[in-house]
Amino acid sequence: GAEVQQLPPTGANGVIALGARRDGSWLAARPGGVIEHHHDGRVDLLLQGGLNVSAFQDRPNGFVFAREHGFVRQWVEGFGMCPSEVPLVGGNVLALVEWGAAVFVLQKHTSGGGAFAILRDAP
């Protein structure tokens, strides 16, 4: 009973990860960059260069995203991109899921199994 709506490919060329924001904008990752598409048509380049993005998770004060090899970064409203990354033990991040006030992280562990982490905002 579901309906699929095909959207025009404008702006989707080369996109490797997507994320939705609470305000109606959406995030797109292309190799080496993060772009925010606002509901009013504006487009902002938030990050250029670096490792490819694999997952996004919207947060009340911005968003977090995972990059290749188990690195997580955060973008904060009114501040921008945090200068440091959080390296996680394990492999590439497969999913980021909001879990209360925290973010639950699923990683593909290098030994073939799964690895989990929980990210909490600093007090």
Side-chain angles (χ1 to χ4, degrees), residues 46-47 63 65 67 71-76 79-87:
L46 303 179
L47 178 68
F63 62 91
F65 62 99
R67 303 201 314 161
F71 289 95
V72 176
R73 286 193 81 176
Q74 183 174 17
W75 189 88
V76 178
F79 176 78
M81 196 66 64
C82 289
S84 61
E85 291 185 302
V86 175

Side-chain angles (χ1 to χ4, degrees), residues 5-31:
Q5 178 185 1
Q6 183 71 31
L7 299 174
T10 305
N13 218 8
V15 171
I16 56 175
L18 290 173
R21 301 286 315 273
R22 287 173 170 85
D23 66 1
S25 64
W26 57 282
L27 302 162
R30 290 187 170 91

Side-chain angles (χ1 to χ4, degrees), residues 6-74:
Q6 183 71 31
L7 299 174
T10 305
N13 218 8
V15 171
I16 56 175
L18 290 173
R21 301 286 315 273
R22 287 173 170 85
D23 66 1
S25 64
W26 57 282
L27 302 162
R30 290 187 170 91
V34 174
I35 302 158
E36 184 169 14
H37 298 262
H38 298 274
H39 52 79
D40 62 5
R42 289 180 300 119
V43 176
D44 291 326
L45 177 64
L46 303 179
L47 178 68
Q48 188 170 358
L51 300 171
N52 289 337
V53 174
S54 60
F56 289 103
Q57 180 57 54
D58 191 44
R59 304 294 293 148
N61 61 344
F63 62 91
V64 295
F65 62 99
R67 303 201 314 161
E68 289 176 313
H69 311 300
F71 289 95
V72 176
R73 286 193 81 176
Q74 183 174 17

